Amino acid sequence: MKKLLIKLSRPTLKNFPVKITSPPKIFFCHIPKCAGSSLHSAISSQYYEPNKLGSFSIKRAVSKRTADILEIPMMSVRETVMVHNLSIKSNYYGHGHSFCRPQVVKNFSDEWNFLTVLRNPVDRWISLYTYNTYKKSQWDRNALPLNKYIESEVGNMAGQAFIRYFSNFNGSCASEHIEQALQNLHQFSIVGTTGHLDILTTQIAKDFDIKLDIPKINKNPNSKLSLEIKSDSKTVKKIEKVCQYDMEIYERFTDEHGTIYSGKSRKWISKR
């Protein structure tokens, strides 16, 4: 009778395996233009939202307004919001364009599974440029022509996503921070790559027993321009120079692990 009462007191989690009593805690570190919107939509809508589990998403407009009011960098706001929410015991899922620097991952990796998706940095840079130039939204919309964008601070920052997201890089000592970023990525539970989302979903299913149906969201509004840029070898060389730090991180990590990396996952509590 006691066992029956315990069993009845445990809520049934929709879409999760029957044996699960507490789902995995996942933070998805979303790097822009790395298939993140599709993956986030699948994880959140198919598992965490139906079960009304504690979750958070770092909002762009809110973080910008906060940064403007406090006169601090927007990415600092986002990172603070992330750490605050990771510290809340009732949260199970989080997502956002936020740095996941080594000290954050180190402090929370025993409880949270960090997940991210990498993309060839040159392809990502081109995709980001065309998307921000031709999208309908005014958020971060670009008005610069390609030749000026490449030389701009915004264009330069666009080529330094990986080194800034995964290390304490502040513009100097790049080689040291490349090593730091690589070490940090090895503390993630899963690191996937765009173009191989089928392999990523297979790994997620294996590690977390979660089967995802990933939709395609935020399509590039001018894919023709992307192809034109890639066909111009001189322009591509300039972009490669802007992306040199990220390219080293990407090539070294994928050379070692291929299209998917799976670390030691902090799995959920199952019934004994």
Side-chain angles (χ1 to χ4, degrees), residues 51-93:
N51 291 293
K52 297 181 180 180
L53 295 167
S55 62
F56 65 96
S57 186
I58 302 171
K59 305 295 184 182
R60 296 178 300 177
V62 174
S63 58
K64 184 180 187 305
R65 185 183 182 194
T66 304
D68 290 343
I69 292 172
L70 297 178
E71 298 181 346
I72 59 176
M74 184 173 64
M75 294 305 287
S76 295
V77 172
R78 293 181 180 183
E79 194 170 26
T80 302
V81 170
M82 175 187 66
V83 171
H84 172 80
N85 278 281
L86 292 177
S87 301
I88 297 174
K89 296 299 181 182
S90 58
N91 279 338
Y92 285 90
Y93 176 71

Side-chain angles (χ1 to χ4, degrees), residues 136-156:
K136 295 179 180 179
S137 169
Q138 292 300 313
W139 178 270
D140 278 350
R141 191 169 184 176
N142 170 59
L144 294 174
L146 180 59
N147 61 329
K148 291 186 178 181
Y149 184 85
I150 292 175
E151 298 174 353
S152 70
E153 181 181 355
V154 174
N156 187 57

Side-chain angles (χ1 to χ4, degrees), residues 49-265:
E49 288 180 10
N51 291 293
K52 297 181 180 180
L53 295 167
S55 62
F56 65 96
S57 186
I58 302 171
K59 305 295 184 182
R60 296 178 300 177
V62 174
S63 58
K64 184 180 187 305
R65 185 183 182 194
T66 304
D68 290 343
I69 292 172
L70 297 178
E71 298 181 346
I72 59 176
M74 184 173 64
M75 294 305 287
S76 295
V77 172
R78 293 181 180 183
E79 194 170 26
T80 302
V81 170
M82 175 187 66
V83 171
H84 172 80
N85 278 281
L86 292 177
S87 301
I88 297 174
K89 296 299 181 182
S90 58
N91 279 338
Y92 285 90
Y93 176 71
H95 155 267
H97 298 309
S98 174
F99 294 159
C100 278
R101 296 186 295 163
Q103 57 268 46
V104 175
V105 177
K106 180 180 179 181
N107 275 278
F108 289 99
S109 59
D110 284 344
E111 183 180 4
W112 283 83
N113 295 279
F114 288 85
L115 186 154
T116 195
V117 181
L118 305 180
R119 183 178 185 178
N120 178 286
V122 172
D123 290 343
R124 195 196 76 86
W125 192 99
I126 294 171
S127 179
L128 188 65
Y129 169 77
T130 56
Y131 182 78
N132 283 343
T133 302
Y134 292 96
K135 66 183 180 181
K136 295 179 180 179
S137 169
Q138 292 300 313
W139 178 270
D140 278 350
R141 191 169 184 176
N142 170 59
L144 294 174
L146 180 59
N147 61 329
K148 291 186 178 181
Y149 184 85
I150 292 175
E151 298 174 353
S152 70
E153 181 181 355
V154 174
N156 187 57
M157 294 285 284
Q160 297 178 356
F162 299 165
I163 195 170
R164 291 184 182 276
Y165 267 68
F166 304 123
S167 80
N168 292 309
F169 180 68
N170 60 4
S172 61
C173 302
S175 60
E176 174 185 330
H177 289 102
I178 287 170
E179 297 300 327
Q180 188 181 56
L182 288 166
Q183 291 174 12
N184 189 25
L185 282 169
H186 282 94
Q187 301 307 308
F188 275 57
S189 294
I190 297 179
V191 179
T193 51
T194 60
H196 301 91
L197 293 184
D198 56 333
I199 297 175
L200 175 61
T201 55
T202 298
Q203 192 65 53
I204 290 174
K206 180 180 179 182
D207 285 3
F208 302 125
D209 214 355
I210 294 177
K211 297 180 181 179
L212 298 174
D213 179 16
I214 299 182
K216 193 167 185 179
I217 301 175
N218 286 350
K219 296 180 182 179
N220 195 316
N222 197 330
S223 56
K224 182 179 179 182
L225 177 60
S226 295
L227 293 174
E228 290 177 358
I229 294 173
K230 291 177 183 179
S231 67
D232 185 338
S233 59
K234 290 184 179 180
T235 299
V236 170
K237 286 183 179 179
K238 292 179 181 179
I239 297 171
E240 286 175 346
K241 186 176 181 180
V242 171
C243 298
Q244 59 181 321
Y245 304 149
D246 277 15
M247 186 60 76
E248 182 173 346
I249 292 169
Y250 178 80
E251 289 182 340
R252 287 177 60 182
F253 196 83
T254 54
D255 282 350
E256 181 177 357
H257 301 291
T259 59
I260 191 73
Y261 166 79
S262 175
K264 184 180 179 181
S265 299

